[in-house]
Amino acid sequence: MGNDGVVGWIHYVWDQINKSAAQGMHQFFTDDYVRHASEADYSREEFVDTLRERHQAFPDLVSRIDDVIVDGDRLAYRWSSTGHHEGPYLGVPPTGKLVTASGITISALRGGKIAEEWASWNKVSVLHSLGVLPIFPPRSAAG
């Protein structure tokens, strides 16, 4: 699959995840898939559970790929997700607020599937949007 094919494919993968909240993940991720995140490493099944929990907390959640860079069997993509907080998430009861999260994921491909990923996203901004954490304005230089 050429670079253009990989870019189109990762958009398709996330379109399918948006539609089905993680059903059919076996077709996109290897059996031994690992997702490395700041809080833990996740197997494919654990990642599916995480996606389901997100979709329960944000039933109208839509994730989109904003940029993609492909280098051989690796791709990096910048993404954003938006949805209304209608169920418990990160220990926060439903607020009804519209929340946007954004991050970057680097994926390693093997046999036409995602085998391993490294993901980073800004949980602090999400918790701020939910009203849990204040974000203080920067101090002035004179201050």
Side-chain angles (χ1 to χ4, degrees):
M1 184 179 335
N3 286 1
D4 289 342
V6 171
V7 171
W9 179 77
I10 197 64
H11 282 277
Y12 175 75
V13 168
W14 280 97
D15 286 345
Q16 295 307 303
I17 291 171
N18 283 334
K19 290 177 187 172
S20 66
Q23 295 196 6
M25 295 277 286
H26 63 278
Q27 66 184 313
F28 305 121
F29 297 83
T30 61
D31 292 341
D32 61 346
Y33 167 83
V34 177
R35 182 178 187 87
H36 306 283
S38 60
E39 67 279 359
D41 289 347
Y42 296 93
S43 68
R44 181 176 69 181
E45 290 72 27
E46 291 166 330
F47 182 48
V48 167
D49 290 343
T50 299
L51 289 172
R52 284 191 186 119
E53 289 170 9
R54 282 187 202 148
H55 280 273
Q56 288 171 353
F58 302 90
D60 62 345
L61 185 71
V62 175
S63 297
R64 107 177 168 225
I65 307 285
D66 300 311
D67 286 308
V68 181
I69 298 170
V70 179
D71 185 15
D73 64 350
R74 302 258 173 152
L75 65 133
Y77 56 95
R78 186 175 60 85
W79 55 267
S80 57
S81 298
T82 303
H84 288 88
H85 182 220
E86 303 296 339
Y89 186 68
L90 297 175
V92 180
T95 63
K97 294 182 179 181
L98 181 65
V99 175
T100 299
S102 60
I104 295 177
T105 301
I106 300 170
S107 301
L109 306 178
R110 186 176 70 233
K113 294 183 178 186
I114 300 171
E116 191 170 11
E117 292 187 301
W118 298 263
S120 179
W121 62 283
N122 192 342
K123 289 179 190 79
V124 171
S125 67
V126 171
L127 291 171
H128 173 70
S129 295
L130 296 175
V132 175
L133 291 176
I135 295 181
F136 299 101
R139 290 183 179 171
S140 68

